[in-house]
Amino acid sequence: MGKRNITSEDLFKFKWVSNPSVCPVSNRIAYVSKKVNEDRSGYDTSIRVVTSNGEQDRAWTQGSGDSSPAWSQNGTSFAFLRKDGEHNQVWMMDVSGGEAYAVTKAETGVSSFAFSPDGQYILYLSKVEAAAALTEASKEDEEKIRKAGKQAHVVDRLMYKSDGSGLWNGKRTHLFVHDCTTDESKVLTSGEFDVTSFAWAPDSTTIAYTAKKLQDETVDPDLTRTNDLFIVERTNGESRRITDSRLTIGKPTFAPDGRTIAFHASDYSHGFASLQRLYTLSYPEGNLTCHSQHLDWQLGNNAITDMKAGEFEGPLFSKDGQTIYTLATIEGSVHIIKFGLDGTHELLTEGPQEIIQFELTEDETSIVMVKADMMQPGELFSFNLETKTEVQLTHHNDAFLGELELSKPEIFWFETSDGWKVQGWMVPPVGMEKGCKYPTILEIHGGPHGMYASSFMHEFQLLAAQGYAVIYTNPRGGHGYGQKFVNACRGDYGGRDYQDLMEAVDYAIANFDYIDETRMGVTGGSYGGFMTNWIVGHTDRFIAAVTQRSISNWISFYGVSDIGYYFTEDQIDGNAWADMEKLWKHSPIAYVEKMNTPLLILHGEQDLRCPIEQAEQLFIALKRQGKATQFVRFPDANHNLSRSGHPELRIERLDRIVGWMNRFIPSGAM
C-alpha cells in the first residue's frame, strides 16, 4: 500500500512523550504519554514505564490526567500528579503493586512537587490566599460595597492578568512540605510574593527556592524583572536570601555534597534578549561563578514547534558534583552540553535535532532524553556517554509516520546585505516533479526571541502535503546565534529583521528552482503575526497572508497585554504616553492604507498576551477600506492555541490557513 499525505486531522493520531524519570534502583524510566482524548475535547495524559533497553514499554497508571512521575530514592515508592476533582494532587503507589492513593489535600491543588532525598517528605507548590494589600480605610470601604452574590473584580496591581490563567485571583504560590510518616502538611513560605521553583538539598532539611521578594518595599515587584534565591529550613520555616537581586534565576539544583547550587540565570543586560547562562553559587559562602560567560550560547531550550509536550527545567549535577549537564540552543538545534567546575565544557550531541528534556541514569553511563528531529515529533532515546551512540526506547509514532509521505526540510545559510549570517530551512512540496515550479509560503516564528529548529512541524508538513513549498528562517532577534544577534531587533521591529526575511526569500528563489515567486504567501503567529502585518503593509510581493495572534498597534498593546507595559518598553523602547510617535511608527496598523494583500486574521478570544482587540482594530481598518480580509475568532482559546489548544480548534486553525492560501494562490505545479 502506498503512502498518503498528512492531513490536519492527523493531529488526533500523534502521541507525545515527556518528563522522563529514571528509577534510581532499576533504571526503569517512567514518562508521560499524551494524546488527544476519544471525544476530541482535550488531551489525556498517562504514565508509562519503559526498561532501559526499550524492550518493555507498558502502561503504569490508569488515570487520564496523570503527569510528573517521580521515584523515591530507594526505588520503593512512586509519586505523580493526578487531577482529583478540579485540582491536581500528589498521588503515590508502591512499585511492587497496589492501588495509588492521594497524598496531598491542597485546597487549590498542587502545581509541582519533589521527593526529599531520604524519601520521607514531599515538597510541593500550592496557591494560598494573599494578604489584602489594603489600608484599614480601604477595607472598611470594601466591606460597605461588597454584597452577597455576584461581585466585581477589584484590581490593585499592574500584573493583574496572565495568558492561560486569566485574571489574578488574589492567591500567591507558596511552598509546602508533606510528612509521609505523619501524613501532615505545613506551609514553609508566606507573604506577598510567589515561589517559582525549588530544590531539596541532600540533607533533606535545607531547601532552595526562587522568588521575587524585594528588600525595598517601596519598589513595585511587578516592575522588577530580577528575582532571588532563598534558603529555607524544613524544620523551622526560616528563610534567608542568598543572592543580591542582580539576576533572573531559573530552577536551582544542589550538588551531591550540598555545598554548591547550580542554575540558569540572565543578567538582564540586554533586556529580554539577554542570554541565559550557567551559574553556580557556593553555599553557605555565597560566591557566585558564571561557567558559560566565554560562550556566546543560549542555555536551555528556546526552540519553537507545534509538537512539544514538555519543557526543560534546568541543569543536573553528576554524582561527584564536578560536572553539570544542561541544554544549549545553538544554530537551529538544541544539544546536551556538560560543564566541568574546572572551567571545561563539551557538547555531547550533534546534528540537526531538538533535545527537549533529559535525565541521567543512576550509574551515569547514559542519558535518557526526549528527542525530536525534522521527521518525528519526539520519542525517548538513551544516549551512551562513553560511545556517544543512541538507542530509541519508545516508538509511539513510528507506525503512524510510516504511513505518511513527508517532506524532509533542507537547511540553508545565506549572507545578508549587511554581512550577517542567517539560517533557514526549505521544505519541498510533497510529490515535487523536477523542472516544475510550486507556490511557496514564508513562515515566521514568534518570540521574537525564539528559534525555529530542526524539529517536526505539523503545520509545515501539512502545507507541503497541499502542494506548497515552505520557507522558514531565523531572522535577527532569535536565540541560537549569539548575544548580538538576539538583541538586534530590540528597538528596530520592522527594520533589519524585516530585511532578513525578505532577503531569505530572495535567496531561496535564487537557489531552489522549484519556487514560483509569483505565487507566494506569508503567515506567522505572535511576533510572526506582527511581522506578517508589517510585511503586507510594506510589500505586495505576497498574494495571500494569514496573521495569527498578532500585534497591530503598540500604543494599545501597552495597556491591554498581560506583558504590554514592560514588553513594549523593552522591545520598542517607549511607552504609550511619552513615546506615542515611536510606538505608532512601529505599529503595522499605521500602514494599513498600503495593505493590499488579502489578509486572514486568526485570533483566540481569551488571548491575553496579544489580546483580541489587536485583531479587531486591524480587521475594522481593512474592512472599512474595502480590502480583502476575514476575521476568525476562536472561542476559549488563549495565546497557545497552535501548541496546546482545543484539538478541534487546532485543526480548524490549520484548515483555515490552508483554505485561505488555496483561495488566493493558484495551486499545482507549473
Side-chain angles (χ1 to χ4, degrees):
M1 183 180 294
K3 294 188 176 184
R4 64 174 178 84
N5 287 357
I6 196 170
T7 68
S8 60
E9 292 204 350
D10 282 327
L11 179 72
F12 297 140
K13 299 180 180 179
F14 281 107
K15 303 281 181 62
W16 298 274
V17 302
S18 65
N19 301 95
S21 178
V22 181
C23 178
V25 176
S26 67
N27 270 346
R28 287 184 296 175
I29 304 140
Y31 67 95
V32 176
S33 174
K34 176 182 175 181
K35 64 179 181 178
V36 176
N37 59 24
E38 288 187 5
D39 65 7
R40 301 182 175 184
S41 63
Y43 304 90
D44 286 342
T45 57
S46 61
I47 296 170
R48 300 181 64 86
V49 171
V50 63
T51 53
S52 57
N53 58 10
E55 290 183 356
Q56 297 180 29
D57 183 0
R58 64 188 182 92
W60 190 252
T61 66
Q62 302 302 316
S64 60
D66 298 345
S67 62
S68 303
W71 306 87
S72 63
Q73 189 59 36
N74 62 10
T76 62
S77 298
F78 181 81
F80 57 96
L81 290 182
R82 171 174 286 177
K83 197 161 190 178
D84 185 15
E86 293 184 4
H87 304 293
N88 281 329
Q89 302 290 349
V90 179
W91 286 59
M92 192 179 293
M93 59 191 296
D94 192 303
V95 298
S96 61
E99 295 293 325
Y101 57 93
V103 175
T104 61
K105 303 175 182 64
E107 183 179 350
T108 60
V110 174
S111 57
S112 62
F113 76 96
F115 268 118
S116 61
D118 64 8
Q120 297 302 303
Y121 303 92
I122 291 177
L123 200 60
Y124 65 90
L125 291 180
S126 185
K127 290 185 180 293
V128 296
E129 202 71 42
L134 298 172
T135 64
E136 289 303 317
S138 297
K139 289 179 182 178
E140 291 179 8
D141 290 342
E142 277 293 303
E143 289 174 1
K144 292 176 182 177
I145 295 171
R146 291 290 187 188
K147 301 291 189 297
K150 195 171 184 65
Q151 297 177 342
H153 193 104
V154 179
V155 175
D156 288 303
R157 59 178 296 197
L158 269 171
M159 196 175 292
Y160 71 91
K161 60 183 178 180
S162 179
D163 186 66
S165 56
L167 296 178
W168 184 51
N169 60 6
K171 292 181 170 61
R172 294 288 191 175
T173 300
H174 280 291
L175 202 53
F176 292 73
V177 63
H178 180 85
D179 188 323
C180 295
T181 303
T182 65
D183 197 32
E184 295 179 346
S185 295
K186 68 176 182 179
V187 64
L188 290 179
T189 62
S190 62
E192 291 297 320
F193 62 90
D194 295 290
V195 175
T196 49
S197 64
F198 59 88
W200 284 103
D203 63 6
S204 297
T205 298
T206 304
I207 298 155
Y209 70 89
T210 56
K212 194 190 297 182
K213 183 165 52 169
L214 304 185
Q215 300 181 77
D216 185 350
E217 294 184 358
T218 65
V219 176
D220 188 342
D222 289 346
L223 288 173
T224 304
R225 304 274 69 84
T226 59
N227 63 351
D228 277 306
L229 192 62
F230 296 82
I231 293 293
V232 63
E233 301 299 326
R234 172 182 55 78
T235 52
N236 58 25
E238 293 182 1
S239 289
R240 58 190 182 279
R241 186 189 314 267
I242 58 173
T243 55
D244 59 5
S245 306
R246 288 184 297 168
L247 299 172
T248 301
I249 300 171
K251 188 179 187 302
T253 184
F254 276 93
D257 64 2
R259 293 183 53 82
T260 304
I261 304 172
F263 49 85
H264 288 164
S266 161
D267 62 9
Y268 211 66
S269 59
H270 296 78
F272 290 111
S274 304
L275 292 186
Q276 186 168 253
R277 302 187 185 278
L278 176 66
Y279 290 82
T280 56
L281 184 77
S282 62
Y283 175 75
E285 298 85 0
N287 298 322
L288 188 69
T289 303
C290 181
H291 296 270
S292 61
Q293 191 68 44
H294 59 296
L295 298 173
D296 202 16
W297 292 347
Q298 166 75 352
L299 297 188
N301 182 320
N302 282 79
I304 292 174
T305 172
D306 56 6
M307 288 280 107
K308 196 181 301 183
E311 298 293 335
F312 179 65
E313 290 192 332
L316 297 175
F317 270 102
S318 60
K319 270 188 172 181
D320 63 9
Q322 298 305 301
T323 301
I324 302 171
Y325 296 85
T326 189
L327 293 181
T329 296
I330 306 172
E331 296 184 349
S333 289
V334 181
H335 292 296
I336 299 175
I337 182 173
K338 72 173 184 178
F339 289 90
L341 295 189
D342 58 1
T344 59
H345 74 276
E346 178 188 359
L347 272 176
L348 298 178
T349 55
E350 60 183 12
Q353 61 185 356
E354 180 198 0
I355 296 172
I356 301 168
Q357 297 168 311
F358 71 90
E359 282 277 325
L360 282 164
T361 58
E362 183 66 16
D363 58 10
E364 297 189 14
T365 61
S366 299
I367 288 175
V368 176
M369 58 190 184
V370 180
K371 187 188 81 165
D373 58 43
M374 292 183 284
M375 304 306 287
Q376 63 90 12
E379 297 280 2
L380 275 185
F381 290 77
S382 176
F383 177 80
N384 188 291
L385 286 167
E386 181 178 348
T387 64
K388 304 293 192 296
T389 56
E390 296 178 2
V391 175
Q392 186 172 340
L393 302 179
T394 63
H395 301 267
H396 292 291
N397 296 294
D398 286 4
F400 160 56
L401 292 175
E403 301 172 2
L404 304 177
E405 191 69 54
L406 299 175
S407 180
K408 186 172 184 179
E410 180 179 342
I411 299 171
F412 66 85
W413 289 82
F414 71 95
E415 184 173 323
T416 65
S417 56
D418 60 345
W420 291 45
K421 299 290 186 182
V422 173
Q423 185 181 26
W425 290 257
M426 193 72 224
V427 186
V430 171
M432 181 179 68
E433 297 179 8
K434 189 174 179 61
C436 293
K437 290 188 177 292
Y438 294 85
T440 302
I441 308 298
L442 171 66
E443 288 268 5
I444 309 170
H445 70 64
H449 307 310
M451 178 192 77
Y452 275 145
S454 293
S455 198
F456 190 90
M457 291 288 288
H458 184 196
E459 181 177 328
F460 299 174
Q461 290 293 336
L462 177 64
L463 287 167
Q466 292 287 320
Y468 293 97
V470 179
I471 306 168
Y472 59 106
T473 184
N474 288 326
R476 66 193 73 188
H479 271 304
Y481 308 92
Q483 183 63 84
K484 182 180 178 182
F485 191 94
V486 70
N487 190 61
C489 73
R490 293 174 70 224
D492 188 40
Y493 274 46
R496 281 303 321 189
D497 50 356
Y498 165 69
Q499 286 299 119
D500 285 354
L501 289 164
M502 294 304 96
E503 290 176 18
V505 172
D506 293 339
Y507 176 88
I509 291 170
N511 289 272
F512 298 94
D513 60 8
Y514 52 84
I515 294 176
D516 187 341
E517 63 180 304
T518 68
R519 293 184 291 158
M520 300 193 69
V522 59
T523 186
S526 195
Y527 165 80
F530 158 84
M531 187 54 71
T532 299
N533 297 339
W534 187 268
I535 285 171
V536 298
H538 288 78
T539 180
D540 292 334
R541 74 186 301 180
F542 300 94
I543 60 175
V546 181
T547 184
Q548 308 168 54
R549 59 191 187 279
S550 73
I551 295 172
S552 66
N553 186 342
W554 287 106
I555 297 170
S556 61
F557 178 86
Y558 186 94
V560 297
S561 168
D562 62 345
I563 63 171
Y565 66 93
Y566 61 85
F567 187 81
T568 308
E569 292 180 3
D570 182 81
Q571 298 289 302
I572 309 300
D573 191 27
N575 61 47
W577 54 91
D579 306 287
M580 187 173 290
E581 185 176 338
K582 179 186 291 184
L583 268 57
W584 186 248
K585 173 186 173 184
H586 289 282
S587 296
I589 201 167
Y591 309 94
V592 71
E593 290 179 315
K594 299 178 181 178
M595 293 183 183
N596 300 311
T597 306
L599 182 64
L600 174 65
I601 303 170
L602 306 181
H603 220 104
E605 292 189 336
Q606 298 304 313
D607 190 334
L608 298 182
R609 184 61 36 85
C610 295
I612 197 167
E613 62 87 28
Q614 293 286 304
E616 292 169 336
Q617 291 185 62
L618 184 59
F619 173 72
I620 292 299
L622 289 168
K623 199 69 177 174
R624 178 64 180 82
Q625 296 178 84
K627 303 291 180 71
T629 187
Q630 188 179 69
F631 181 22
V632 180
R633 305 168 62 107
F634 293 91
D636 302 317
N638 61 32
H639 200 63
N640 286 306
L641 168 62
S642 64
R643 298 177 283 265
S644 58
H646 191 291
E648 291 176 337
L649 292 182
R650 287 177 69 179
I651 287 170
E652 181 176 353
R653 169 189 163 272
L654 291 170
D655 287 342
R656 289 192 178 277
I657 293 170
V658 170
W660 189 262
M661 297 301 183
N662 288 347
R663 178 176 169 184
F664 292 97
I665 302 176
S667 62
M670 290 186 181

